[in-house]
Amino acid sequence: MCLQLSLPDAAATEGLGARLARCAPAQLVVFLYGDLGAGKTTLVRGLLRQLGHRAPVPSPTYTLLEPYDLGDRTVLHLDLYRLADPEELDYLGLRDYLVRPLIMLVEWPERGAGMLPASDLELWLEYANGQRLARLVGRSEAGERLVQRLGNR
């Protein structure tokens, strides 16, 4: 199942992140695609704010990985743009995070190929005809249910 949404501004992109947080199961892997500046971190910020995080949400471009423990939920935000080799994820301790339920949001997931778990949801942010669009594609049963819930709101 595929869902396409129009996102007229940054607030709408954050809003999609908040909707995602409200509908997401405790265990979810989301691959985020889009050019630099497309709004991937803005979407993550909306999700984290919905889950109660109030501090700034920088892109983990240099740290590559940023964990957020939010009470009953753990969110792991990865930005793999600067990743030189997928095996670097082992040195960052990715496997240690994968032993518990979490929401994993991965920017530039193609750079971690072979080391990342399979995605439940692919989310593409792109510009077309002067507007920002989000395209969501479920890649697992959980991802399909999530896309359906988001489409019904």
Side-chain angles (χ1 to χ4, degrees), residues 3-38:
L3 174 65
Q4 188 160 307
L5 302 168
S6 175
L7 302 172
D9 54 26
T13 304
E14 277 196 38
L16 176 57
R19 288 174 54 201
L20 185 61
R22 287 191 297 271
C23 296
Q27 178 72 36
L28 184 71
V29 177
V30 180
F31 286 179
L32 299 168
Y33 296 96
D35 292 335
L36 289 171

Side-chain angles (χ1 to χ4, degrees), residues 29 33 38 43 61 65 91 104 110 112 117 119 125 127 144 147 151:
V29 177
Y33 296 96
L43 183 128
T61 302
L65 177 147
Y91 299 115
M104 181 187 294
E110 62 278 7
S119 67
L125 293 171
Y127 289 103
E144 289 281 334
V147 170

Side-chain angles (χ1 to χ4, degrees), residues 92-109:
L92 294 171
L94 179 63
R95 289 181 197 211
D96 296 335
Y97 290 102
L98 299 178
V99 297
R100 57 184 166 181
L102 56 77
I103 296 174
M104 181 187 294
L105 304 158
V106 186
E107 298 183 37
W108 305 98

Side-chain angles (χ1 to χ4, degrees), residues 54 78-79 91 95-96 101 111 120 124 134-135:
R54 296 293 170 242
L78 292 88
D79 183 336
Y91 299 115
R95 289 181 197 211
D96 296 335
R111 299 194 182 201
D120 296 299
W124 301 79
R135 185 168 36 99

